[in-house]
Amino acid sequence: MRPEILFPLFDAPLSLPGIGRRLAPLIEHAAGPHIVDLLWHLPINLIDRSARPKVSEAVEGAIATIQVTVDRHIPAATKRLPYKVRCFDETGFLTLVFFHPHVDYLKRALPEGEVRLVSGHTALYQDEIQMTHPDYIVPLGEADNLPLIEAVYRVTAGLTPKTMSQAVARALSHVPDLEEWQDTALLQQRGWPSWSQAVLKAHKPEGREDLSSLSPARIRLAYDELLSNQLALALMRAYLRKTGGRSIKASGALAKTILSHVGYQLTGAQERALNDITKDMEAPTRMMRLLQGDVGSGKTVVALLALCHALETGAQGAFMAPTEILARQHFAFIEPLAEKAGLKVALLTGRHKAAERRDILEGVASGAIQLLIGTHALFQEGVTFQDLALAVVDEQHRFGVHQRLRLQGKGGATDILVMTATPIPRTLTLTAYGDLDVSRLDEKPPGRRPITTRVMPLERLGQIIDHLGQAIQEDHRVFWVCPLVEESDVVDATAAEDRYAHLQEIFSASVVGLIHGRMSSAEKDAVMADFQSGKLKILVATTVIEVGVDVPEANIMVIEGAERFGLAQLHQLRGRVGRGARESSCVLLYKAPLSETARARLTMMRETEDGFRIAEEDLKLRGAGELLGTKQSGLPVFRLADLQTHSDLMAMARDDAMLILSKDPELLSPRGQALRTLLYLFEREEAVRYLRAG
Ligand code: ADP
Ligand code: MG
């Protein structure tokens, strides 16, 4: 249950005075559904009204707050002309200018002969010092209502800056005093204010330095958010470890047999990772490990061998991929190997006939099927394992923490191995996978040759096509990726279809294939199979091939509209080549003119194949939220913490969370109680459920 003291913060903005049915949805859209979201909606700028010149000293175009006496109202001669109110001080006249005036209001606000404070932009127009539509008009007695430094908020359509700041101001009046959850020594040492002071201060900047993400108030709030994230992950991890652990002790004989059929030796990195994994599996606690390895580093075989350890003991395994193409690819790789060892493997995707699906489910439930490979269909209700010991989740960035939990719920005692091809910078690993131990494949399989990457303008398309003609004569195989026109399968598909038609005209129609998200799975399978077998030489594709696709014979990659892709995506796409023995190349085709960031991205691609360097650079160019495409990544979205400027805080929060839980695992001490409030404040209440006395 949410602590009562937080109730007011979790009301809807509609409950605030002055926010009615019309404004409420707009505010919710801009900030979020609760009053607390308005607190997190920090100013992005400020207006400084502290300049108090005399009329004659007013600076053209600047914001000034000026004390004047109202001289007289000058109604407009025609509707087109503005209404004017002439004012003055001892140094000269200031004309207030109003278009489409509410005359009644102006008469009330600016009675002739009275003194007023007005604040707004001043301008010189036809020898007149003017202020058009002053932001503030207040009597001297109400000068307090005129903020000399005004916070400016991000607004969305339908909202004015003023309504937004009023809404925030009202929300601020709900800020409760909360028991301190941070270590008091830390607060002192860093000079951080209390939570409520930090919120108020962040919304009432006194100067530009207060807008900086490094101001004490903002750092404190960011740290609160990061600590809540790390504490929630640590609680989840502690809970999962405690529950449902089991010891899988295998001799490794099955893995050895399978590896002998695979036909190559593991790299040192693969050995080390497999060793980490089997150690975890042997331990009585539940394994929760992330296997991180750049594209092409050979994660699949590590997963397979880990699964062998589970299967050897007579238990079951599950292997889950983010797309059907990938699930099929894993199945195609694993099934023949498993067959040699007498193991039964099945593929479960979203498209089985009812009877077929029932057979598979029965086989899984009875234990007749030892290894189930599939897509997210594995999460679905109705899939019950007889004894699931290890679940492997491939290309994890497409799944979120919650899906991970659902999978964990599938087995009484299931070890979890998560694999990601995206080389996530360390700071992000902590936020997304803070609940996991990490093994890295930091070495590629031997014999890989560097990929030559060229960046070229689209005008040179003809030249590239000439070159491809020769390449396919020599039996090279080509991925041709079409631009991501919009976040729309339909539009992408059309672009790809056009290029497909074009290339079919140039080369023989029978050697050019097409694959995109709008095709049926069966069509996609057929095309992939033809490309794999070499019947097709050029595969025109949308980003459906982005992750995981492994066709070692493909060694030329053309990416059209490369300027539209993010760095991580370009790296993933390029990772489809350079897997075989032949020299590989990648052409990044762009449409001029290039924006500065696009140029930086393409240059980076040309300079390096190192996924970690690329990921770090990507973080710089794009910011964390966008890095993995937050929506699909399951990465937490931070409102206050900026993973770039606050990156040192993340590691600190992780250590802090561990220390807290080592001393007070159930959060029962007074500080523990305050930390529970923190979890609720940042809506991480699901973590509280993992506490015994939650
Ligand atoms: P990813 O880590 O991107 O999922 P894959 O598992 O698809 O990489 O492996 C990429 C390619 O490298 C595959 O063709 C695979 O057969 C090959 N491979 C993996 N490990 C080795 C190894 N130790 N030696 C040689 N080739 C390997
Ligand atoms: Mg893979």
Side-chain angles (χ1 to χ4, degrees):
M1 277 282 283
R2 178 181 291 143
E4 218 162 301
I5 192 162
L6 295 182
F7 285 3
L9 293 181
F10 285 88
D11 280 341
L14 184 63
S15 69
L16 292 171
I19 297 180
R21 302 223 160 264
R22 191 186 68 79
L23 278 182
L26 299 173
I27 290 194
E28 287 186 20
H29 181 66
H34 300 127
I35 289 176
V36 73
D37 295 311
L38 283 165
L39 303 185
W40 304 149
H41 196 71
L42 297 184
I44 50 169
N45 204 346
L46 55 78
I47 298 175
D48 186 347
R49 305 187 180 282
S50 58
R52 299 283 300 266
K54 297 288 177 200
V55 169
S56 67
E57 299 158 351
V59 178
E60 161 87 21
I63 288 187
T65 301
I66 310 181
Q67 180 176 330
V68 290
T69 306
V70 181
D71 180 26
R72 67 186 181 88
H73 285 235
I74 309 164
T78 75
K79 269 226 151 97
R80 292 254 200 80
L81 292 172
Y83 186 98
K84 292 183 175 180
V85 179
R86 194 166 70 167
C87 306
F88 64 91
D89 70 3
E90 65 271 28
T91 67
F93 286 106
L94 173 70
T95 306
L96 308 182
V97 179
F98 301 91
F99 294 88
H100 312 293
H102 294 286
V103 177
D104 287 351
Y105 160 75
L106 291 177
K107 287 254 155 77
R108 261 182 287 123
L110 294 160
E112 288 176 5
E114 302 228 350
V115 177
R116 288 291 182 264
L117 271 178
V118 296
S119 185
H121 283 275
T122 50
L124 199 61
Y125 182 73
Q126 293 177 347
D127 287 343
E128 215 170 56
I129 301 171
Q130 294 189 342
M131 188 183 286
T132 303
H133 293 273
D135 302 322
Y136 289 89
I137 302 172
V138 296
L140 281 188
E142 291 169 28
D144 286 352
N145 291 343
L146 197 163
L148 290 183
I149 304 282
E150 193 176 359
V152 177
Y153 295 93
R154 188 174 49 76
V155 293
T156 46
L159 286 173
T160 65
K162 214 166 194 165
T163 41
M164 197 68 212
S165 36
Q166 278 166 355
V168 174
R170 299 222 157 91
L172 287 176
S173 69
H174 282 66
V175 169
D177 266 325
L178 300 174
E179 292 295 330
E180 186 56 67
W181 47 74
Q182 298 292 1
D183 181 23
T184 36
L186 175 73
L187 294 183
Q188 263 173 11
Q189 176 209 336
R190 295 253 172 171
W192 289 348
S194 72
W195 176 76
S196 60
Q197 281 168 352
V199 173
L200 296 174
K201 178 83 184 150
H203 285 282
K204 295 199 168 71
E206 284 166 28
R208 299 237 148 243
E209 64 283 0
D210 291 336
L211 296 175
S212 155
S213 56
L214 295 176
S215 72
R218 289 202 180 203
I219 294 191
R220 145 104 217 201
L221 295 176
Y223 192 64
D224 286 341
E225 184 173 40
L226 294 173
L227 183 63
S228 76
N229 164 264
Q230 288 302 302
L231 195 58
L233 287 170
L235 282 170
M236 185 170 100
R237 170 187 164 112
Y239 171 81
L240 290 171
R241 278 201 192 289
K242 263 191 324 233
T243 58
R246 77 191 276 178
S247 172
I248 299 282
K249 283 206 178 88
S251 71
L254 180 61
K256 217 166 159 190
T257 311
I258 296 275
L259 185 59
S260 72
H261 294 306
V262 169
Y264 47 66
Q265 305 250 295
L266 294 185
T267 63
Q270 285 170 321
E271 296 264 15
R272 283 190 294 278
L274 188 62
N275 199 31
D276 290 346
I277 294 165
T278 51
K279 264 209 203 119
D280 280 3
M281 291 174 72
E282 266 179 39
T285 46
R286 188 196 290 251
M287 168 168 80
M288 279 181 293
R289 185 166 284 279
L290 176 70
L291 176 59
Q292 200 179 39
D294 206 350
V295 279
S297 59
K299 294 181 291 297
T300 320
V301 71
V302 175
L304 172 62
L305 298 176
L307 286 163
C308 286
H309 276 257
L311 304 192
E312 191 192 310
T313 67
Q316 290 170 298
F319 194 168
M320 192 166 57
T323 66
E324 204 166 311
I325 294 181
L326 279 188
R328 290 186 169 271
Q329 180 179 293
H330 289 330
F331 183 71
F333 168 58
I334 291 172
E335 214 241 354
L337 295 168
E339 201 173 308
K340 290 195 184 114
L343 296 167
K344 183 121 177 65
V345 185
L347 177 70
L348 184 69
T349 64
R351 54 156 169 137
H352 291 283
K353 302 224 167 61
E356 220 177 355
R357 185 179 153 82
R358 203 184 48 231
D359 282 351
I360 295 174
L361 293 186
E362 274 172 17
V364 172
S366 72
I369 292 173
Q370 284 127 318
L371 175 58
L372 185 63
I373 299 175
T375 55
H376 57 273
L378 295 197
F379 284 132
Q380 278 155 11
E381 308 293 320
V383 184
T384 319
F385 289 83
Q386 198 236 342
D387 180 24
L388 180 62
L390 173 62
V392 177
V393 184
D394 191 12
E395 313 293 356
Q396 164 68 16
H397 66 276
R398 300 262 162 147
F399 297 113
V401 169
H402 290 281
Q403 282 163 309
R404 209 143 77 210
L405 283 174
R406 260 166 81 186
L407 187 75
Q408 270 143 1
K410 286 278 170 210
T414 304
D415 283 335
I416 304 287
L417 177 65
V418 160
M419 306 201 292
T420 179
T422 310
I424 311 165
R426 202 179 140 63
T427 34
L428 281 183
T429 316
L430 280 178
T431 69
Y433 306 112
D435 56 331
L436 304 175
D437 298 311
V438 181
S439 298
R440 275 186 180 172
L441 296 183
D442 49 11
E443 175 187 352
K444 291 212 168 160
R448 295 284 165 84
R449 307 233 209 132
I451 304 170
T452 315
T453 300
R454 293 189 190 84
V455 178
M456 291 182 181
L458 190 60
E459 285 79 63
R460 291 174 63 183
L461 186 71
Q463 213 177 319
I464 288 154
I465 287 175
D466 288 347
H467 183 78
L468 284 190
Q470 198 183 338
I472 63 174
Q473 293 285 317
E474 292 164 14
D475 201 33
H476 292 277
R477 246 171 280 169
V478 184
F479 279 115
W480 187 299
V481 178
C482 285
L484 190 72
V485 181
E486 272 174 33
E487 289 290 316
S488 145
D489 280 351
V490 188
V491 184
D492 289 353
T494 316
E497 267 158 10
D498 291 349
R499 181 61 71 212
Y500 170 60
H502 174 216
L503 294 178
Q504 276 197 322
E505 267 169 38
I506 296 172
F507 305 104
S508 142
S510 63
V511 301
V512 185
L514 172 68
I515 189 162
H516 59 64
R518 303 266 296 165
M519 287 162 46
S520 77
S521 312
E523 286 171 315
K524 278 189 268 188
D525 287 350
V527 173
M528 276 316 290
D530 284 347
F531 187 57
Q532 235 134 18
S533 74
K535 206 175 135 204
L536 294 173
K537 303 284 182 223
I538 301 179
L539 184 60
V540 179
T542 58
T543 50
V544 291
I545 60 145
E546 181 188 345
V547 280
V549 168
D550 185 39
V551 182
E553 296 80 9
N555 63 337
I556 299 176
M557 164 75 55
V558 179
I559 303 177
E560 218 182 306
E563 77 281 2
R564 293 170 180 270
F565 293 104
L567 258 182
Q569 222 176 356
L570 288 172
H571 178 65
Q572 286 293 326
L573 286 167
R574 182 174 59 183
R576 301 306 118 219
V577 298
R579 292 172 166 241
R582 295 175 88 171
E583 196 93 25
S584 294
S585 63
C586 173
V587 181
L588 301 172
L589 276 177
Y590 66 88
K591 206 166 173 177
L594 276 182
S595 72
E596 214 167 293
T597 39
R599 184 180 301 278
R601 282 199 297 262
L602 298 183
T603 306
M604 190 73 199
M605 286 296 293
R606 201 175 49 203
E607 278 173 8
T608 185
E609 271 183 68
D610 177 343
F612 280 94
R613 242 190 96 194
I614 289 178
E616 296 284 354
E617 195 62 24
D618 206 19
L619 183 62
K620 274 190 220 141
L621 289 175
R622 285 210 286 169
E626 265 183 88
L627 185 53
L628 301 173
T630 306
K631 274 194 211 90
Q632 59 175 348
S633 71
L635 270 184
V637 185
F638 291 105
R639 302 285 304 266
L640 305 166
D642 168 25
L643 293 182
Q644 234 176 295
T645 50
H646 299 137
S647 61
D648 56 323
L649 294 183
M650 179 55 85
M652 192 170 127
R654 196 260 329 261
D655 295 346
D656 218 358
M658 307 251 258
L659 185 66
I660 289 165
L661 292 185
S662 72
K663 286 200 251 174
D664 182 13
E666 298 291 329
L667 297 183
L668 295 171
S669 67
R671 186 178 174 206
Q673 297 292 342
L675 285 159
R676 286 177 183 230
T677 306
L678 171 71
L679 290 170
Y680 280 104
L681 185 64
F682 283 98
E683 299 177 63
R684 309 210 195 273
E685 47 253 56
E686 78 272 24
V688 182
R689 274 193 262 125
Y690 298 123
L691 293 168
R692 216 181 307 135

